[in-house]
Amino acid sequence: MTVNDPTPDLEVVLENIARIERFVAGCDEESFRNNEQVVFAVQYASLLMRAAVDRLGEWTEVFQLEVPWRDRAAACTELTPANGQVDPGVVWQMISADLARLQWSAMLALNQLEGSDEVESR
């Protein structure tokens, strides 16, 4: 069974990590909490990352490197409670605790795919 190339979804993850880094540049937790636009932008970028991780499907097991992909996808889901309110503290915690590791993991996964026959054999 051939599985779609995971490269585009890994690139979506990295692209949105870069966006989040730009959005929060110069922010500390307090200034982040008080900037509704930045909080919203980070939340949206996180949702795009979650969708990309979901599309990776079985590749999430292959790329289980530094960051548990499925756990990160679940964490992103927690950013959208039923009432539409987002706790900026939860978002900030995700940024400060997980973003760099997720970036590193996605970069390693892409490096593994370069020149690999893994995509065709999956």
Side-chain angles (χ1 to χ4, degrees):
M1 175 178 159
T2 302
V3 173
N4 292 333
D5 180 3
T7 302
D9 290 315
L10 291 168
E11 289 171 345
V12 167
V13 169
L14 290 171
E15 177 182 311
N16 283 288
I17 288 171
R19 284 183 176 137
I20 291 170
E21 289 173 336
R22 286 191 309 270
F23 297 154
V24 301
C27 289
D28 60 12
E29 184 174 359
E30 183 179 348
S31 62
F32 175 77
R33 284 176 170 270
N34 294 321
N35 190 327
E36 179 183 13
Q37 291 174 328
V38 172
V39 170
F40 185 85
V42 168
Q43 179 189 12
Y44 186 72
S46 297
L47 292 173
L48 294 174
M49 283 193 303
R50 187 198 80 204
V53 169
D54 286 348
R55 285 190 304 272
L56 284 169
E58 70 182 60
W59 286 102
T60 59
E61 301 306 318
V62 174
F63 299 134
Q64 199 67 239
L65 301 170
E66 296 296 319
V67 177
W69 291 87
R70 291 199 190 278
D71 291 349
R72 295 309 161 242
C76 289
T77 303
E78 292 171 11
L79 297 179
T80 55
N83 65 3
Q85 299 299 311
V86 177
D87 178 358
V90 173
V91 179
W92 183 260
Q93 182 62 33
M94 184 194 73
I95 293 167
S96 53
D98 298 327
L99 206 60
R101 292 185 322 142
L102 181 57
Q103 182 180 40
W104 180 250
S105 184
M107 289 169 55
L108 286 175
L110 281 174
N111 286 338
Q112 284 182 339
L113 288 170
E114 286 183 6
S116 171
D117 294 332
E118 184 75 20
V119 174
E120 290 78 30
S121 67
R122 282 237 149 246

